[in-house]
Amino acid sequence: MYEDILFPTDGSDGAGEALAHALELAATHGSTIHVLSVVDSTYLGSAAAEATTIESLQARTEQVVDETVDDITAHGADVVAERRMGDPYEEIIDYAETEGVDMIVMG
């Protein structure tokens, strides 16, 4: 029923709760979980601080995605990982449409 589940994450506690639900669905339906984390470019401040901010946000995104992929793999589910930069809601919608996911599970 659900071949592909999109799990957008920012590493928050709410996302962690949603991941548990995504894992249950994946186990029930044999789904692939698509992990998506977006560096929110709408949040960036002044040009002087932007490079450091982008680097720190990208590093945090990498960490969140890597930890999430490890968790999903440990539960035996198939996983695809994607990192993007932009307005999170736009990137989530674009990914869902482009990849043809069946469900989005997010905190």
Side-chain angles (χ1 to χ4, degrees):
M1 185 171 189
Y2 303 117
E3 286 185 37
D4 294 285
I5 298 171
L6 175 57
F7 175 66
T9 184
D10 59 2
S12 66
D13 290 341
E17 294 295 322
L19 178 58
H21 185 62
L23 287 166
E24 288 176 24
L25 288 166
T28 300
H29 299 283
S31 310
T32 296
I33 299 177
H34 296 248
V35 177
L36 173 64
S37 193
V38 180
V39 174
D40 187 352
S41 64
T42 65
Y43 180 74
L44 299 175
S46 69
E50 191 169 309
T52 303
T53 303
I54 289 173
E55 289 174 4
S56 64
L57 291 172
Q58 287 174 327
R60 175 68 181 139
T61 297
E62 288 296 324
Q63 179 184 4
V64 165
V65 170
D66 291 347
E67 290 173 358
T68 304
V69 166
D70 289 346
D71 196 12
I72 293 168
T73 302
H75 282 85
D78 293 332
V79 63
V80 174
E82 176 79 12
R83 298 141 184 96
R84 293 189 175 188
M85 182 177 293
D87 195 339
Y89 88 89
E90 290 177 349
E91 295 300 325
I92 292 167
I93 292 169
D94 179 67
Y95 187 91
E97 290 175 348
T98 301
E99 297 299 320
V101 299
D102 303 301
M103 174 183 283
I104 300 173
V105 176
M106 60 189 288

